[in-house]
Amino acid sequence: MSKLSRQHRLLAMLTDTGELLVSEAAAALGVSDDTIRRDLCELEKQGCLHKTHGGAVSINLGGMARTTRSSLLPEQKKRIGEAAAAAVPAGTTLFLDAGSTTLAMAEALTMPATVITNSLDIASRIEGRPALRLILAGGEWDSRQRLFSGAAARSVLGLYRADIAILGACAVSARGSVTAGEERDADMKRSMIDAASEAWLLADHLKFGRVEPHNVADLAQFCRVYSDRSPASADIGQAGPEFIIAS
């Protein structure tokens, strides 16, 4: 197992349980305690966790920079993105907000479509692809969250109507509220939902059972939720949308 793959495994283990012991991680991954300690030191420097005596504890996902969050569960996000992309009809107009899972979905798009996004990462990955018409909702640039937002970006969204708004999630509470860690991100998500005929949510299992301070929408406003696992909370599962598990 490469160092990068090992560190991804450590982050997945940590976010599942909230804390991690060096000895248990070393046994699970078949490496030495010293190797795990070095990995945890590197991950702490990247802002992915807090080291403790004998292990590490998780930190707030919503507080992470987007580039750091992108390192979590890359294979799961790829499967979620591919499942959502495969369901997009040809000729669809899409809103895509900024996020690592929506980026995976954009990369997997093969059908002709119009993509309207506030994500520079999505725009840079799909520009030049003849099947995709790209519209970038520019505005105030947030280098930490890798998105455009503010009045100018929202005004661009207001010029269009989309068939589907496809959004990533910072958090989905046990009661079915979709929330975001940043106000400007939540504003853009709400604008996309309001200007689309329907909305889909892409959310890996780490987002379930969590709450961030800025409200986006009730889960019932989404027609579909694509994830890598079924939610543990019965309330989330009964919130209204169809759950599609990309396994």
Side-chain angles (χ1 to χ4, degrees), residues 8-247:
H8 285 164
R9 286 281 303 277
L10 286 172
L11 288 172
M13 293 164 64
L14 180 62
T15 46
D16 270 340
T17 62
E19 60 182 337
L20 189 68
L21 294 177
V22 168
S23 57
E24 292 179 355
L29 300 182
V31 296
S32 69
D33 288 4
D34 285 342
T35 296
I36 297 297
R37 290 191 187 95
R38 286 193 294 271
D39 285 339
L40 295 181
C41 284
E42 290 188 18
L43 291 169
E44 184 178 48
K45 289 177 182 178
Q46 296 171 31
C48 297
L49 51 81
H50 291 305
K51 281 188 64 188
T52 63
H53 179 70
V57 295
S58 62
I59 63 175
N60 185 355
L61 285 173
M64 287 184 183
R66 195 171 299 278
T67 50
T68 302
R69 289 207 307 269
S70 297
S71 68
L72 301 176
L73 307 182
E75 291 303 317
Q76 290 88 335
K77 290 174 180 177
K78 183 173 183 289
R79 292 198 299 268
I80 292 169
E82 289 172 345
V88 173
T92 299
T93 296
L94 303 171
F95 286 137
L96 290 183
D97 83 328
S100 51
T101 314
T102 49
L103 175 60
M105 186 264 181
E107 290 176 329
L109 276 174
T110 56
M111 290 293 187
T114 296
V115 175
I116 305 168
T117 184
N118 65 323
S119 167
L120 187 61
D121 294 328
I122 289 177
S124 64
R125 295 290 180 89
I126 67 173
E127 63 89 17
R129 289 166 58 179
L132 300 178
R133 178 189 179 210
L134 171 64
I135 298 169
L136 181 61
E140 183 180 355
W141 172 242
D142 183 338
S143 60
R144 184 172 178 275
Q145 294 300 323
R146 306 289 301 168
L147 56 83
F148 292 102
S149 63
R154 291 195 303 274
S155 70
V156 173
L157 296 181
L159 298 174
Y160 299 94
R161 290 295 178 267
D163 299 299
I164 312 169
I166 302 180
L167 310 181
C170 296
V172 183
S173 76
R175 294 187 177 183
S177 295
V178 179
T179 53
E182 300 282 346
E183 183 177 6
R184 62 184 63 193
D185 187 23
D187 285 343
M188 294 299 291
K189 292 177 188 292
R190 288 194 298 268
S191 296
M192 289 182 178
I193 292 172
D194 290 343
S197 298
E198 63 181 74
W200 298 357
L201 188 70
L202 312 185
D204 63 70
H205 71 275
L206 301 182
K207 310 301 172 53
F208 294 130
R210 299 182 58 256
V211 178
E212 293 293 340
H214 302 285
N215 184 59
V216 174
D218 290 334
L219 199 58
Q221 291 181 247
F222 294 88
C223 296
R224 300 180 184 179
V225 176
Y226 287 84
S227 188
D228 59 318
R229 293 186 194 172
S230 298
S233 169
D235 289 340
I236 295 178
Q238 296 172 5
E242 175 187 8
F243 274 79
I244 299 166
I245 308 304
S247 59

